[in-house]
Amino acid sequence: MNEEQRERYLRHILLKEVGGQGQQKLLAARVLVVGAGGLGAPIIQYLTAAGVGVIGIADPDRVALSNLQRQVIYAGRDIGVAKTSAAAAYAKALNPGIDIVQHPHTINAENAARIVSDYDYIIEGVDNFKTRFILNKICIDARKPLISAAVGRFEGQLAVFRPFDNPGRAPCYRCFVPTEPPRDQQLNCEEEGVLGTVTGVIGTLAAMETLKQILSLGEGLAGKLLIYDGLAARFRTVALSADPSCPDCQPQKANQDN
C-alpha cells in the first residue's frame, strides 16, 4: 500500500484481525452488486469505503424521485440518470483508488455466467425471484458465495449461500425458496412500501457479511437466515437445511459421490 492508502485504511489496519494483510485482501477482491437500489446503495457505500478493489454494479434502471427516500447514494441531480452511472460517480468520488465496472442491464440466463465469472463474491438485493434463481445456479456452478438480502415494509432478511462447501448438507437459495411464491404472497416495496432505514440496516449487514467472507472473519451466515423486525427492534437467526431434491445444488453432491 502507498502512503495515501495507509492513511485512508488506518482504522482497518489497526484491527489485529484485519491489519495490512487483510486490507490487501480487500484491495484484491472483486465483488458484484446486483441491484443498485435501496439495498445496493449502502452495500456500494461501505464496500467502496472499505477499499474493495473492484466493484461491479448491475442494474438496468434509472434514478427516480421516489428512490431518494432510501437509495442514499443518489441526489436530485441524478434523477433520470442510469443508476450504474450515478452509483459509479458516487463511488469514485468517495474512493478514487478502486475500480467500478458498470453493467447497466438486467442479469439474465444469457449473460449471468459471463458477468459472474469476473467476480469473487456476488451480492444480490433484487426484487424478483427469477434473477435470484439464475444467480443461485450460476454461483453454485462457479463455486462463488452468494450473499442474498431482501426487505419489505418494516422487515428484512439476509443469508449467505455456499452449498459447494459441503454438498448435500449446505443449502443454496433454491433449498430455501424452491419455487417462486404466489404473487399475493410476495412483498413488493413498489406496491406495499418500505421504511427507508430498513434498507440501510440490511444493506449494511450485507456489506458486513461480504467483508467477513473476504477476510475470513468471525462466524458467517452460511446455512443461516438472519431476520430483522424493525418495529420490534429484534433480530433472530434460524438454521437453513439443504433440500435433498433441490435441482440446483444436489447435482453437485451426485458428482462428488461419483
Side-chain angles (χ1 to χ4, degrees):
M1 286 183 286
N2 58 38
E3 184 176 349
E4 188 274 337
Q5 289 174 317
R6 287 193 292 271
E7 176 65 22
R8 178 182 288 272
Y9 305 120
L10 177 60
R11 298 303 188 276
H12 278 175
I13 295 169
L14 289 172
L15 293 168
K16 67 180 189 325
E17 296 88 350
V18 180
Q21 288 186 335
Q23 188 60 50
Q24 292 282 15
K25 289 181 180 180
L26 294 175
L27 290 166
R30 303 176 63 90
V31 177
L32 174 65
V33 181
V34 183
L39 290 165
I43 291 170
I44 292 165
Q45 272 188 321
Y46 277 102
L47 296 186
T48 297
V52 170
V54 179
I55 301 174
I57 305 173
D59 196 303
D61 295 336
R62 294 180 176 272
V63 179
L65 179 59
S66 61
N67 298 153
L68 304 187
Q69 163 255 12
R70 64 203 177 281
Q71 299 178 21
V72 292
I73 61 177
Y74 307 124
R77 63 179 177 274
D78 298 317
I79 292 173
V81 176
K83 285 187 176 179
T84 52
S85 178
Y90 175 93
K92 291 298 286 186
L94 178 60
N95 190 347
I98 66 168
D99 292 327
I100 303 294
V101 182
Q102 298 181 46
H103 303 282
H105 36 252
T106 300
I107 297 292
N108 56 41
E110 286 69 42
N111 63 25
R114 173 180 55 80
I115 293 172
V116 166
S117 67
D118 287 335
Y119 299 93
D120 307 313
Y121 304 87
I122 314 301
I123 315 174
E124 67 85 4
V126 299
D127 57 2
N128 72 88
F129 289 92
K130 182 178 181 180
T131 301
R132 290 177 181 142
F133 290 153
I134 290 171
L135 287 172
N136 182 65
K137 186 64 169 68
I138 294 297
C139 287
I140 292 170
D141 292 344
R143 299 179 62 85
K144 297 187 179 185
L146 174 64
I147 297 94
S148 178
V151 294
R153 291 171 52 80
F154 306 99
E155 302 172 347
Q157 62 186 36
L158 177 65
V160 176
F161 298 103
R162 301 179 57 107
F164 44 83
D165 285 343
N166 193 354
R169 292 182 176 273
C172 72
Y173 182 83
R174 200 76 181 249
C175 295
F176 171 46
V177 184
T179 59
E180 182 173 345
R183 184 68 185 83
D184 60 357
Q185 295 180 20
Q186 297 181 26
L187 284 176
N188 186 305
C189 296
E190 186 174 351
E191 297 173 359
E192 301 192 34
V194 62
L195 194 66
T197 48
V198 174
T199 65
V201 171
I202 301 301
T204 302
L205 287 171
M208 175 67 173
E209 284 302 307
T210 305
L211 297 182
K212 286 165 59 182
Q213 293 284 313
I214 297 170
L215 296 168
S216 300
L217 280 180
E219 182 179 343
L221 279 176
K224 304 170 189 174
L225 178 69
L226 179 68
I227 302 170
Y228 171 62
D229 182 337
L231 293 183
R234 182 179 299 123
F235 287 95
R236 63 190 178 98
T237 304
V238 298
L240 300 177
S241 57
D243 179 357
S245 61
C246 176
D248 283 3
C249 67
Q250 290 307 305
Q252 282 220 341
K253 180 178 185 299
N255 291 338
Q256 186 185 65
D257 292 343
N258 292 333

